[in-house]
Amino acid sequence: MSSGTLALLCTHAPLVGCFGALVVLRRAPRAAAALNILAMLASLGAALAIFAGSNHQPPTIISLWLSSEGVPISFGFLLDGTNQLMGIIVALIALCIQVYSLGYMKGDPGYARYFGLHGLFAWAMLSFVYSANLLQAFVFWELVGLASFLLIGFWFEKPSAAAAAKKAFVMTRIGDVGMFIGLILLLSSTSTLDIAQLMQASTLASIPDARLTLIALLLFCGVVGKSAQFPLHTWLPDAMEGPTPVSALLHSATMVAAGVFLYARFHPLFVAAEGVSNIVLVIAIITAILAATIAMVQRDMKRVLAYSSISQLAFMLLGLGAGSLYAGVFHLTTHAFFKALLFLCAGAYIHQIGSNDMVTMGRQGAAKLRLVSAGLVIGAAALAGLPPLAGFFSKESILAALHGAHANAFVYGAYLASFLTAYYTFRMVFLVLRPSDKSVLPAEEHEPHPHGDVTGSMKLPIAILTVGAAAAGFAGDFIAKLIGAKALHPTYGEMAPAIGIALAGVIVAFFEFGRKDAAQQGFITRVGALDTLFERKYYLDEIYDKVAGGLVSLIASVSAVVERGVLDGTGDLAGNLTIATGDATARMQSGRLQLYIGSAVLLIVVFCYFVGGY
Amino acid sequence: MVLSAIILTPLAALFLTLLIPARNDKAIKAVSALAGAVTVALAAYVWFKFDPYSTARYQLVERVEWVPTFGISYYLGVDGIGVLMTMLNAIVFLTGALSMWRLELRVKEYFAFMLTLVIGVFGVFVSLDLFFFFFFYEVAVLPMYPLIAVWGSTRKEYAAMKLTLYLMAGSALLFPALLSIYYKSGLNTFDMVALSGHKFSEAYQIFVYPFIYIGFGVLAGMFPVHGWSPTGHVAAPTAVSMLHAGVLMKLGAFGILRVAMPLLPAGAAYWNGPFAALATCNIVYGALVALKQDDFKFVIGFSSVSHMGIVLLGINMLTIDGMGGAVFQMFAHGVMTALFFSAVGFIYDQAHTRDIHEFGGLSKHVPIASAFFIIAGLCGMGVPGFASFWAELLVFIAAVKTMPLFGVLAVVGLIISALFMLRVLKHAFFGPANPKWQGLRDVTAWDALPRAILIAVLILFGFIPRLALALIASSVRALAGGI
Amino acid sequence: MDAVHPSAWAFVVVALGGALLSVSLRNILHAIFGLALALFGIAGLFLYLGSPFVAAMEVLIYVGGISVAMVFAVMLAYSLGKKEGGSTRRFLAVVPVGGFFGVVGYALLRASFAVTSKTGSWDLKLVGRKLLLDYNVVFEALSVVLLLAIVGAIIIARRDEKTGDDKTADEKAASKGNDAASAEERAS
Amino acid sequence: MTLSHFLLVALALFALGLYSVLTRRHLIGLLIGVELMLNAASINFLAFDRFVVKDPATGQIIVLFIIGLAAAEAAIALSIILSAYRAHRSADVDDLDELKN
């Protein structure tokens, strides 16, 4: 098979699964699930086959989509190293999560729909990854958003899920609008949207500097929205309303990763655009610290992981913004493994114990799930950046990149964020695995509702991902070669403080939460104001609701009033005036025949008098 | 002869309908549906017969002199735009007839009026003679009054009257302007092709262009004379809403493309700025008002205003991209709104309310019927994979390039349209299932047929936009080149 | 200029007098008699104007037909207790009538006509020939009109009788009241 | 008596007829007025025929037509009056105001 056919198979096999599950096999959920898993297997196989084929091919054009003022825009695949790597990760993680969902979603009335939407998601994400041109990427980028909207709102009967789905869509849409305008500007500046062509230095050089900066900023808007960076990050924690495997899918290799991937894809452009990288770094560092501080005080396990995702995505952007494609993509890869693992572990606990609350999990004996707990510990250690697990290597390379580019506030910010990361990660681990008798944390209000035992189909993906999370860190050189970027090997001098900081975080967490009779109270509770601030997520939701929501609502109300009052009013007024005139003249129609005749004669007389000239 | 056949098919169906006794309502519906299917087939024939690469701008031409004294002839022909619009009307006609399968009130009269409407619309899309163009235009507009006033709901007399008054006001602007063109040209002909060859003085074009643009603009839902359209949509019965928003509003935009711009290119070039500003108002304002509506159909009505704004914006860009996008948007929006109203009509016919707050969790009770609405909603938000995405994309590309301010504002309108659409989805289809609607019947295969056809069309053009874009490219190029 | 014999003034007096009576008498029956009188006078004027045939027709159709029909109609449909128009109405009517009279009369007095000299002879043969040849179409049309008028009059006048239920609500209520009243009478 | 005299007499008859039409409340009173006006016109025709026009037959024929039409009109009017009287129990012109406003 040619690579084009393979790419078509890889991207569109899940679409077949989606169609089958949503339309044909609605009443046969098991068959729908099987079909989708088969489709994902095909995708993974095709992705691997593409990888096994030759590297760095020119884009394969499948067909012409449309032409804009003579510029042809085609549908095709770009199969270079970055895309190949990402494709394999997406297919692999999606497959793991689908297998996991077999057990997790058992008994749900929307079983077939769930797998169908999964197929839709995988199709959109894979097609996005292999896109040959920016417009195609944008199309599937939007479709990824659509699929995530449908998956977050999967349990649509929960008002919170419906609201979260809406929020996710709107917040990402805000970013997308910026990206869309950027796309149009790029098109009109370069007369091409072909990614390979766009990334050539000569093309980039042809764009005026100010315009390039503008385009880069607009594209970055899309990244901010999709990858949930400050200030558009608030949708992501709410997106936890979806089923846990969905969260795993959204937060590891798809959806949020799409933003970072886009940045990586357009790395040359962002590097060429003057002044943009500083803005990126500022936003990333703000996001990293902001999300990490919020994660410190959450009790909901999925929320902790959600904020950690935001924070880690910010790390990736830190690496990319510092100019190292390698660091960003490397962290993207390792993060995909350990974050998917952590979410699947969380899902297993939630499934078995029936609560999202970490304290409840601990008290209900979460530690008894041996395999899951092992996965949790390894995943957490990877997230915290403890050697020799996956997160350690990638995070070190990001720090190294920062050192190389900006040995200043950003580095210290990154140190702070990684300390917090280690702290909240192990706070989570200790809360779940080492319940303390002396804990001051109150029990949850709701009784837990267990769904059932963790099945084999759930354990298998956890096991695979555990291996991945442990080992992915050694793939650094391989990845560097694949994406054609220079690998960064931090010196021991650079490594030491990072390791020390991560260890410090773990140790603080241990003393506060992990000791035999720890009070399980974080140091931040001593500063009440900060605690509340973090607890309430910096009041950003409220501010957005009040300010942006209120503003839009106000304008809309004014428009509605204008519509009713002014425009409709004018129309009605014209109509009513006509009717009133009619009524007035109708009153003259008294029904008095003789009055009519008399006035008619009189008029004739008057007429004759004047016209006749008498 | 095929274009005549397209007009004559609904006409024959109309006569047949009048001959069938009123009690035989199944037969009447079947006649309309059959006529719809035949017109779809004929439109498809036209589609394949039309050669987009030919140098002849208008093809499949038929011409018979009618009143030589005044230069009136029965002159039919289509360019790519006409082909696409004919197809749109055929599709909406077919699916509209199928959607009204459950109608019980005065079936015969209903279908007679609907067929009259369809005849008029087809006539407008294929006429090349100004006289017949205007004649068919009025034929299409007039049946709206009885259709809404008799079979409508929610302040139907008010809506019908409002609609008629607005449209008549539009015609009142249009008619003298068209006659003035006829006299001013001195060619003693209503032949639009010949008239477009005549060069009117620039001052005259600038003077008369707004009359024609606004005259047609009323029907296209142009801000600020769009008031009739949401009210009319709300009051009209399902298939009429479908035809009304799906096709009738397109007549306005089509008129601008077919009459105003080719005949008065200098006027178009002079006025495109202000009219583009108004079109931007359409987009943003329509979406904002939709955000505050509680009635399903009002939301869709104002979203139509917003979407027609995209059409008008595209037209006023006077570039190939803009006009091509506008034409494609006319098609996509037509199919999409038809789907919207079809989906809402199905729910309303059972629930007898359209207040989104009264519903909740409809996806639970009637998953397939809800899915139709949700798909239409996604299409309305401009989600890729549906035809409207490409149309909006092209218009926005043109707008951001030509008039960046309006372009950016229009793109920002996308956020608002996502907001109001999601608001409806959230309140009515998601959330806790309201037990009140437990007894709602979901669609049967027969009910699903028209909606499925519309969705299929949307997705087909959503993935292969070139099908339509290649068709209209040469016509649009000729149009844009003339200005 | 050959004037009509002055004795015609007598008929003028009869015509105008009859007309005055028909206009002024309160009793409608009397007014009809006044009309008949006026018509006689007019018929006399026709004689003086040289058309005995037309005069005969006038007497036959108007006096003998229309006036009598009116009398019958009054007998069938006389509503008692209805007053004739008040002084306001009369006063108001004077304005257009006076105006009309003034304007036309003034115009008449100022106008001059090219009066030709000829005797007022008449020829019934000529009239008959003209009627059936030159004015054939009008004649036919008039016949049709007359036929339609007769048929129409019958239909209009008969409609209520034929459908007995078609009485108005008032009528029904009235007849019901009567029934009730008569029932009471019987009971007492 | 000359032409002018006849015309003036006709005018007086017409004015009286008009007055009757304007003041009478009884429908037959209106009819009487109309008949007077028609006759006034007839007198005019015959007067012109006698004094002005050379052809002696035309005026007479027109008057004959007028008489015929008047007969038809009277028949219809009387039947309408009868039917209106049945419907309203009145032949008063002021009561027949269904077309009011």
Side-chain angles (χ1 to χ4, degrees):
Chain A
M1 270 196 276
S2 76
S3 56
T5 321
L6 276 175
L8 207 58
L9 173 68
C10 172
T11 52
H12 284 64
L15 184 64
V16 176
C18 163
F19 184 78
L22 290 183
V23 180
V24 186
L25 298 172
R26 285 178 61 238
R27 308 210 184 285
R30 300 196 73 79
L35 177 66
N36 271 284
I37 287 176
L38 276 178
M40 271 326 297
L41 264 174
S43 274
L44 181 60
L48 288 168
I50 293 169
F51 169 68
S54 63
N55 202 352
H56 291 282
Q57 288 163 338
T60 317
I61 301 305
I62 301 295
S63 79
L64 185 66
W65 240 346
L66 73 163
S67 62
S68 153
E69 312 277 349
V71 179
I73 296 173
S74 343
F75 173 80
F77 300 112
L78 177 63
L79 303 171
D80 69 358
T82 319
N83 289 357
Q84 288 178 9
L85 173 70
M86 194 65 192
I88 294 170
I89 296 171
V90 170
L92 178 63
I93 304 265
L95 180 64
C96 283
I97 289 169
Q98 283 202 349
V99 172
Y100 178 86
S101 303
L102 279 177
Y104 189 85
M105 296 303 290
K106 192 175 251 172
D108 193 282
Y111 202 71
R113 181 163 58 95
Y114 176 84
F115 280 96
L117 296 179
H118 245 288
L120 181 70
F121 202 125
W123 166 66
M125 189 66 201
L126 285 168
S127 303
F128 165 72
V129 166
Y130 287 118
S131 291
N133 70 61
L134 185 54
L135 185 67
Q136 187 187 348
F138 181 73
V139 166
F140 288 104
W141 165 279
E142 285 284 298
L143 283 173
V144 168
L146 169 67
S148 70
F149 164 75
L150 293 170
L151 279 171
I152 293 167
F154 179 74
W155 285 318
F156 57 81
E157 281 184 70
K158 279 203 296 186
S160 54
K166 180 184 169 192
K167 191 172 174 184
F169 195 92
V170 173
M171 296 292 261
T172 50
R173 176 56 76 99
I174 293 173
D176 293 353
V177 162
M179 176 176 167
F180 186 51
I181 297 172
L183 182 154
I184 295 173
L185 287 181
L186 201 56
L187 174 66
S188 64
S189 309
T190 62
S191 293
T192 179
L193 283 178
D194 193 86
I195 291 176
Q197 212 172 328
L198 275 177
M199 289 312 105
Q200 280 163 13
S202 57
T203 318
L204 290 174
S206 71
I207 311 172
D209 278 354
R211 190 138 217 218
L212 188 62
T213 306
L214 181 64
I215 290 171
L217 280 177
L218 286 167
L219 290 181
F220 185 60
C221 282
V223 176
V224 167
K226 210 67 155 186
S227 288
Q229 298 298 293
F230 177 82
L232 297 178
H233 65 278
T234 56
W235 64 269
L236 195 136
D238 290 14
M240 293 300 120
E241 291 294 342
T244 309
V246 170
S247 311
L249 191 61
L250 290 186
H251 293 176
S252 54
T254 57
M255 183 74 181
V256 294
V260 176
F261 180 73
L262 185 85
Y263 195 103
R265 196 64 275 187
F266 281 82
H267 197 247
L269 189 148
F270 285 108
V271 171
E274 226 170 292
V276 174
S277 61
N278 280 327
I279 296 173
V280 173
L281 285 174
V282 168
I283 285 183
I285 204 80
I286 291 175
T287 313
I289 296 171
L290 185 97
T293 48
I294 298 174
M296 281 164 62
V297 295
Q298 298 294 324
R299 278 181 64 165
D300 185 322
M301 187 165 178
K302 283 175 77 178
R303 280 191 181 266
V304 174
L305 292 174
Y307 282 107
S308 110
S309 291
I310 299 175
S311 178
Q312 295 305 307
L313 289 162
F315 262 102
M316 295 170 208
L317 287 176
L318 274 178
L320 291 166
S324 170
L325 178 63
Y326 161 76
V329 173
F330 189 22
H331 197 52
L332 182 61
T333 313
T334 56
H335 177 256
F337 283 103
F338 64 70
K339 191 46 65 67
L341 170 64
L342 284 172
F343 266 111
L344 292 191
C345 291
Y349 292 131
I350 292 167
H351 194 69
Q352 180 91 30
I353 291 162
S355 169
N356 284 7
D357 187 63
M358 293 188 290
V359 180
T360 313
M361 283 178 188
R363 290 179 188 161
Q364 297 284 332
K368 277 178 236 157
L369 295 168
R370 298 254 168 244
L371 176 73
V372 178
S373 300
L376 179 69
V377 172
I378 288 178
L383 175 57
L386 294 179
L389 300 168
F392 167 72
F393 293 102
S394 52
K395 208 172 272 182
E396 286 307 326
S397 58
I398 287 173
L399 290 171
L402 274 177
H403 271 298
H406 312 264
N408 49 29
F410 292 125
V411 181
Y412 300 113
Y415 282 148
L416 174 60
S418 52
F419 167 75
L420 292 173
T421 305
Y423 172 73
Y424 70 70
T425 311
F426 275 87
R427 170 177 173 268
M428 172 181 79
V429 171
F430 293 134
L431 278 176
V432 171
L433 296 183
R434 289 182 64 91
S436 158
D437 301 333
K438 298 238 173 106
S439 172
V440 296
L441 293 170
E444 210 189 4
E445 285 171 28
H446 307 287
E447 279 292 301
H449 295 287
H451 298 283
D453 287 337
V454 176
T455 60
S457 62
M458 291 166 73
K459 282 178 185 158
L460 177 67
I462 291 179
I464 293 172
L465 289 174
T466 309
V467 174
F474 298 106
D477 287 331
F478 166 72
I479 289 172
K481 203 177 124 230
L482 197 57
I483 64 174
K486 193 167 73 67
L488 289 173
H489 293 287
T491 58
Y492 290 109
E494 285 169 342
M495 270 193 211
I499 298 174
I501 283 165
L503 276 176
V506 176
I507 290 162
V508 173
F510 177 75
F511 274 105
E512 287 181 356
F513 296 94
R515 279 179 301 131
K516 194 135 190 73
D517 33 64
Q520 300 206 318
Q521 203 166 18
F523 58 87
I524 203 71
T525 45
R526 302 207 184 105
V527 194
L530 274 183
D531 188 36
T532 323
L533 186 67
F534 296 164
E535 178 72 42
R536 305 298 302 271
K537 306 157 206 159
Y538 292 82
Y539 296 99
L540 281 175
D541 274 335
E542 285 83 353
I543 292 170
Y544 289 171
D545 245 28
K546 287 273 179 317
V547 179
L551 196 67
V552 170
S553 179
L554 181 73
I555 299 173
S557 298
V558 170
S559 305
V561 168
V562 167
E563 174 71 20
R564 284 269 163 284
V566 181
L567 296 181
D568 261 13
T570 318
D572 287 357
L573 189 68
N576 288 338
L577 270 181
T578 315
I579 292 171
T581 317
D583 278 346
T585 45
R587 205 142 299 148
M588 286 164 66
Q589 304 290 315
S590 58
R592 299 281 161 102
L593 182 66
Q594 291 162 327
L595 199 63
Y596 301 169
I597 301 172
S599 22
V601 171
L602 197 62
L603 276 178
I604 292 170
V605 168
V606 170
F607 183 77
C608 287
Y609 182 78
F610 283 109
V611 177
Y614 298 124
Chain B
M1 289 316 288
V2 61
L3 295 182
S4 288
I6 283 185
I7 300 179
L8 287 176
T9 307
L11 190 65
L14 174 62
F15 280 122
L16 213 54
T17 302
L18 293 176
L19 288 177
I20 299 171
R23 61 178 183 282
N24 211 344
D25 60 333
K26 275 272 175 287
I28 291 170
K29 290 166 182 167
V31 164
S32 277
L34 197 66
V38 171
T39 51
V40 169
L42 288 171
Y45 176 77
V46 171
W47 188 298
F48 290 117
K49 200 81 180 163
F50 183 85
D51 177 12
Y53 303 105
S54 153
T55 47
R57 181 155 170 201
Y58 297 104
Q59 299 177 24
L60 302 162
V61 170
E62 298 165 28
R63 182 163 197 166
V64 182
E65 293 300 325
W66 193 49
V67 186
T69 330
F70 298 122
I72 302 175
S73 52
Y74 176 76
Y75 185 17
L76 306 184
V78 283
D79 59 357
I81 304 170
V83 174
L84 197 63
M85 291 296 109
T86 309
M87 184 49 120
L88 168 69
N89 191 35
I91 291 171
V92 177
F93 171 35
L94 171 65
T95 52
L98 290 176
S99 293
M100 291 310 272
W101 210 257
R102 295 184 190 281
L103 181 76
E104 275 159 15
L105 173 74
R106 292 177 188 272
V107 175
K108 181 172 171 174
E109 290 85 346
Y110 177 85
F111 279 96
F113 280 123
M114 195 178 103
L115 286 163
T116 316
L117 177 72
V118 168
I119 294 167
V121 175
F122 274 129
V124 172
F125 288 150
V126 299
S127 289
L128 290 181
D129 186 273
L130 202 51
F131 177 85
F132 274 95
F133 186 94
F134 195 70
F135 167 74
F136 282 122
Y137 183 82
E138 293 298 322
V139 167
V141 167
L142 286 178
M144 290 307 288
Y145 182 83
L147 280 172
I148 292 177
V150 178
W151 290 273
S153 56
T154 326
R155 297 178 84 200
K156 53 188 181 182
E157 285 90 1
Y158 170 77
M161 185 51 81
K162 191 170 179 178
L163 175 139
T164 310
L165 286 179
Y166 267 85
L167 298 191
M168 287 298 125
S171 298
L173 285 177
L174 212 49
F175 192 52
L178 295 184
L179 278 183
S180 115
I181 286 181
Y182 169 72
Y183 284 113
K184 192 80 178 179
S185 73
L187 298 174
N188 190 36
T189 178
F190 280 101
D191 177 346
M192 283 196 270
V193 182
L195 284 173
S196 64
H198 184 265
K199 212 162 154 41
F200 296 94
S201 77
E202 195 162 325
Y204 172 74
Q205 293 195 27
I206 290 169
F207 172 73
V208 88
Y209 182 79
F211 284 88
I212 300 188
Y213 184 92
I214 297 172
F216 283 122
V218 172
L219 194 55
M222 161 196 177
F223 179 87
V225 284
H226 61 271
W228 62 275
S229 110
T231 330
H233 290 342
V234 171
T238 302
V240 177
S241 298
M242 289 168 72
L243 278 163
H244 177 183
V247 184
L248 205 62
M249 288 179 87
K250 297 344 171 250
L251 288 191
F254 183 78
I256 295 171
L257 287 171
R258 174 58 49 86
V259 180
M261 294 194 151
L263 265 52
L264 308 164
Y270 181 84
W271 283 101
N272 74 330
F275 286 137
L278 284 179
T280 314
C281 283
N282 256 61
I283 298 173
V284 178
Y285 172 88
L288 280 170
V289 179
L291 198 53
K292 284 287 160 188
Q293 302 302 320
D294 291 330
D295 185 314
F296 264 132
K297 278 191 159 184
F298 263 119
V299 176
I300 307 168
F302 281 105
S303 88
S304 275
V305 172
S306 182
H307 284 128
M308 286 308 289
I310 294 175
V311 173
L312 294 174
L313 184 68
I315 288 177
N316 278 304
M317 291 305 112
L318 309 181
T319 59
I320 297 173
D321 268 4
M323 290 172 134
V327 173
F328 196 20
Q329 169 77 347
M330 281 157 73
F331 180 79
H333 176 251
V335 179
M336 178 187 88
T337 349
L339 177 60
F340 255 131
F341 283 114
S342 189
V344 170
F346 184 80
I347 294 168
Y348 175 73
D349 285 346
Q350 295 182 64
H352 299 291
T353 178
R354 291 185 306 249
D355 190 328
I356 57 172
H357 297 294
E358 281 194 44
F359 292 106
L362 274 183
S363 292
K364 173 90 175 165
H365 296 311
V366 282
I368 304 177
S370 308
F372 288 136
F373 189 93
I374 294 169
I375 289 174
L378 296 175
C379 188
M381 285 189 276
V383 167
F386 299 107
S388 56
F389 170 79
W390 299 106
E392 292 175 13
L393 175 86
L394 279 174
V395 172
F396 290 148
I397 287 179
V400 172
K401 276 187 191 171
T402 321
M403 300 184 183
L405 175 66
F406 298 149
V408 169
L409 277 174
V411 178
V412 170
L414 276 181
I415 300 175
I416 310 169
S417 63
L419 271 176
F420 74 73
M421 215 56 102
L422 290 173
R423 175 171 165 269
V424 173
L425 296 189
K426 184 182 142 195
H427 282 296
F429 295 98
F430 302 150
N434 188 339
K436 189 173 161 192
W437 309 114
Q438 199 81 55
L440 246 49
R441 184 174 45 82
D442 204 352
V443 289
T444 60
W446 183 244
D447 293 322
L449 178 64
R451 285 108 185 159
I453 292 173
L454 294 171
I455 292 178
V457 172
L458 281 176
I459 292 181
L460 176 69
F461 286 92
F463 282 97
I464 318 178
R466 257 173 57 78
L467 278 182
L469 291 172
L471 187 72
I472 57 180
S474 64
S475 310
V476 170
R477 195 169 303 124
L479 252 181
I483 295 166
Chain C
M1 178 133 174
D2 46 350
V4 173
H5 194 271
S7 56
W9 282 111
F11 284 102
V12 171
V13 171
V14 172
L16 285 180
L20 262 175
L21 285 177
S22 73
V23 169
S24 57
L25 287 177
R26 298 219 149 200
N27 189 325
I28 201 71
L29 212 51
H30 298 170
I32 295 173
F33 291 132
L35 175 69
L37 198 59
L39 293 174
F40 262 120
I42 292 166
L45 287 177
F46 286 174
L47 267 182
Y48 275 90
L49 286 169
S51 309
F53 177 68
V54 175
M57 286 300 119
E58 173 91 2
V59 172
L60 274 176
I61 296 173
Y62 263 113
V63 184
I66 296 176
S67 303
V68 172
M70 281 183 183
V71 172
F72 281 140
V74 169
M75 287 167 151
L76 283 170
Y78 198 143
S79 54
L80 293 165
K82 284 283 175 192
K83 284 186 208 133
E84 271 308 320
S87 56
T88 324
R89 187 187 292 243
R90 281 158 194 264
F91 179 75
L92 277 178
V94 165
V95 180
V97 172
F100 180 80
F101 191 84
V103 166
V104 180
Y106 184 66
L108 270 182
L109 289 179
R110 287 200 12 172
S112 64
F113 300 100
V115 175
T116 54
S117 171
K118 88 175 161 326
T119 53
S121 71
W122 63 279
D123 188 353
L124 191 56
K125 237 189 230 165
L126 183 65
V127 172
R129 181 166 291 133
K130 281 223 157 192
L131 205 55
L132 289 177
L133 292 176
D134 295 6
Y135 296 98
N136 184 19
V137 177
V138 188
F139 184 72
E140 288 295 333
L142 186 65
S143 337
V144 174
V145 168
L146 274 170
L147 179 68
L148 288 179
I150 293 164
V151 174
I154 292 171
I155 289 173
I156 293 172
R158 276 178 59 94
R159 193 173 51 197
D160 290 0
E161 283 173 48
K162 213 163 124 190
T163 52
D165 307 341
D166 225 356
K167 289 177 186 170
T168 57
D170 291 3
E171 242 178 307
K172 272 185 200 160
S175 64
K176 213 177 256 172
N178 286 345
D179 289 351
S182 57
E184 270 176 28
E185 265 174 27
R186 256 178 273 134
S188 64
Chain D
M1 271 186 93
T2 60
L3 177 61
S4 303
H5 295 129
F6 278 101
L7 294 182
L8 278 174
V9 169
L11 175 62
L13 277 172
F14 193 92
L16 282 170
L18 184 62
Y19 182 74
S20 178
V21 166
L22 289 185
T23 55
R24 285 282 185 188
R25 293 180 69 172
H26 200 288
L27 283 170
I28 289 181
L30 264 69
L31 194 55
I32 290 172
V34 171
E35 300 297 355
L36 282 178
M37 284 150 81
L38 280 171
N39 273 290
S42 298
I43 290 176
N44 272 11
F45 274 112
L46 271 185
F48 280 113
D49 189 44
R50 162 78 173 70
F51 288 105
V52 180
V53 184
K54 292 215 171 80
D55 179 5
T58 313
Q60 299 182 34
I61 288 171
I62 290 176
V63 174
L64 285 174
F65 283 143
I66 291 179
I67 293 174
L69 277 176
E73 168 245 345
I76 294 283
L78 285 172
S79 66
I80 289 175
I81 291 169
L82 276 180
S83 113
Y85 179 75
R86 280 207 204 94
H88 289 266
R89 291 277 126 203
S90 146
D92 190 330
V93 66
D94 289 350
D95 291 343
L96 303 177
D97 56 359
E98 268 96 4
L99 292 179
K100 182 178 170 182
N101 286 356

